[in-house]
Amino acid sequence: LMDAGRVKALAVMSNERIDAFADVPTLVESGGPDWGAAAWRGIVAPDGIPKDVEARLKEAMINVWNSDEFTEFMTGRGFGLTYLEGDEFGEWMASSDAAFGEVMTAVGLDN
């Protein structure tokens, strides 16, 4: 839609410009707040998952992460790439949830 001139991107919600949309400024560059958001994807499992199953899932995720196909797919669509696992991913999810909660409260959507 951007290429067709039907929509105009006003800003990207990241700390740096995105290569796929190099002409689109960040929120800060466009006069907005220093705030970011990401379209993230991940895999989680319940506490107590058998260690062998956990190991297989981690191996599968690392294989996907390291594949050229995944990298090309993600970067070609303007998605950033960051790999986190275990407690580090859990902490990031909690932080992201809290940040979105603050925004929802600020705009009155916290009911």
Side-chain angles (χ1 to χ4, degrees):
L1 292 174
M2 286 173 47
D3 290 340
R6 296 184 61 195
V7 297
K8 178 181 179 181
L10 302 177
V12 294
M13 290 185 268
S14 66
N15 294 332
E16 299 175 5
R17 290 191 181 207
I18 298 172
D19 288 343
F21 308 105
D23 293 334
V24 180
T26 66
L27 278 175
V28 171
E29 290 174 329
S30 64
D34 187 9
W35 190 81
W40 59 271
R41 68 253 4 112
I43 184 169
V44 296
D47 283 337
I49 185 172
K51 293 294 182 192
D52 64 320
V53 174
E54 180 181 347
R56 282 187 300 206
L57 288 172
K58 283 184 179 181
E59 181 182 2
M61 291 303 296
I62 289 170
N63 287 340
V64 169
W65 174 258
N66 288 326
S67 72
D68 291 339
E69 182 180 5
F70 178 75
T71 301
E72 291 169 11
F73 178 88
M74 296 298 287
T75 57
R77 287 157 181 81
F79 291 112
L81 293 166
T82 303
Y83 185 87
L84 303 172
E85 67 177 55
D87 291 340
E88 190 177 19
F89 182 51
E91 290 166 9
W92 186 88
M93 286 192 301
S95 174
S96 178
D97 186 53
F100 275 110
E102 290 175 16
V103 170
M104 292 179 74
T105 298
V107 297
L109 296 175
D110 59 344
N111 302 5

